[in-house]
Amino acid sequence: MSTPRVAVVTGGNRGIGREICRQLADLGLHVVLTARDEARAKEAARELVAEGRGFVVGARLDVRDAESVRAAFASIARSHGSVDVLVNNAGVAIDGSGHRPSAPDFSRVEKTLDTNLYGAWRCAAAAVPFMLDRGYGRIVNLSTTMASLELTTTSESPAYRVSKVSLNMLTRVLAAEVEGTGILVNAVSPGYTRTDMSPKATRPVAAGADTAVWLATLPADGPTGGFFYERAPLAW
Ligand code: NAP
C-alpha cells in the first residue's frame, strides 16, 4: 500500500475549507486542518474524525503571520514526513457593494491583500521546497468568478477582486516556475456557496469544495496554471 499524501488546508475550521478537509480525508489523504485559532483547528479536526472521516489533525496557521506559516510547515513536514498538497483556502471578503474603487478604505484593502494574496503566497513559498524534495505537489488557490477580468462589469468589492485576480496571476507564475518538477498549481472558483461569507447563497459546500478537491488530487498528467469552475476551465 502506498503512503498517503499529506494535505494542508488553510482556513479549515469552517465553510468551504472544512468541507475540503472532509472530502480529502474521505479520499484517504492525511489532512492537516489548519486555522488561525489552534483550539478551533483541533476541535474541527476532532469533529471530522468523530464523523469517521479518516485521518485529520488540527494545527495553528495564521496566513497573515509569516512566523506562524514558517513554523506550521516545518512542524507538519517533521511530524508527517512531507507536504504533498496545499489548499490555499483561507480568505476574507470585507468590502462589498458599498465600497467603491474611487474611495478606497486602505485598511480593508491591506487586510484583504495580506490574507487573500500574501497569505496564499507565504504558504506556497513555504510548501514548495518540501514538494520539490519529493518531486510531487498539488497547490490549489481558492479564487472566485469575481476575479475574472473577462466577466467583471461591476465596481463592487474592489479589494476582494484585486486580491483574487492577483492570486490568479500568482497561480500562473508559480505554475511556470515549477513546471516539470511534479508540482501542479491551479486556481479554482468554488461558485457562490452557502457559508458565513455568503449566507444568502444556496449552493451547498459539498459542491463548492468539489473542484478544489479534484485539483488537489490530480494525476501527474493533470493541468497546471489553470483557472477552473465545476472541473472545467473558467475565463481569466
Ligand atoms: P468563510 O466561511 O468566511 O471562511 C473563511 C475561512 O478563512 C475561515 O476558516 C477563516 O478563519 C479563514 N481565515 C481568514 N483569515 C485567516 C487568516 N489570517 N489565517 C488563517 N485563516 C484565516 O469563507 P468560505 O466561503 O468558506 O470561503 C473559502 C474560500 O473560498 C475563500 O478564499 C473565499 O474567498 C473563496 N470563495 C468563497 C465563495 C463563497 O460564495 N462562499 C465564492 C468564491 C470564492 P476564522 O474562522 O478564524 O475567521
Side-chain angles (χ1 to χ4, degrees), residues 11-17 36 40 61-64 89-92 115 142-144 160 164 190-193 195-198:
N13 55 301
R14 59 188 170 97
I16 295 168
R36 55 183 154 179
R40 293 181 71 190
L61 196 168
D62 180 343
V63 302
R64 297 185 67 197
N89 165 81
V92 292
T115 309
L142 269 283
S143 182
T144 167
Y160 184 69
K164 296 288 191 177
Y192 185 47
T193 303
T195 63
D196 295 342
M197 187 180 284
S198 302

Side-chain angles (χ1 to χ4, degrees), residues 170-196:
L170 176 64
T171 303
R172 292 288 278 204
V173 293
L174 184 57
E177 180 192 343
V178 298
E179 193 171 2
T181 66
I183 305 174
L184 306 177
V185 188
N186 290 288
V188 56
S189 168
Y192 185 47
T193 303
R194 189 175 178 83
T195 63
D196 295 342

Side-chain angles (χ1 to χ4, degrees), residues 92-131:
V92 292
I94 51 176
D95 67 335
S97 52
H99 293 261
R100 289 176 293 122
S102 66
D105 173 346
F106 277 120
S107 65
R108 283 175 194 260
V109 175
E110 283 170 16
K111 183 176 176 188
T112 303
L113 290 172
D114 196 33
T115 309
N116 297 359
L117 174 61
Y118 302 152
W121 202 335
R122 287 180 189 106
C123 291
V128 161
F130 297 112
M131 294 175 170

Side-chain angles (χ1 to χ4, degrees), residues 1 10 16 42 44 46 60-61 89 97 103 110 147-148 155 168 179-180 208 218 220-221:
M1 215 173 80
T10 65
I16 295 168
K42 291 193 182 313
R46 261 196 304 275
R60 176 174 185 270
L61 196 168
N89 165 81
S97 52
E110 283 170 16
S148 169
S155 66
N168 284 356
E179 193 171 2
L218 285 172
D221 61 353

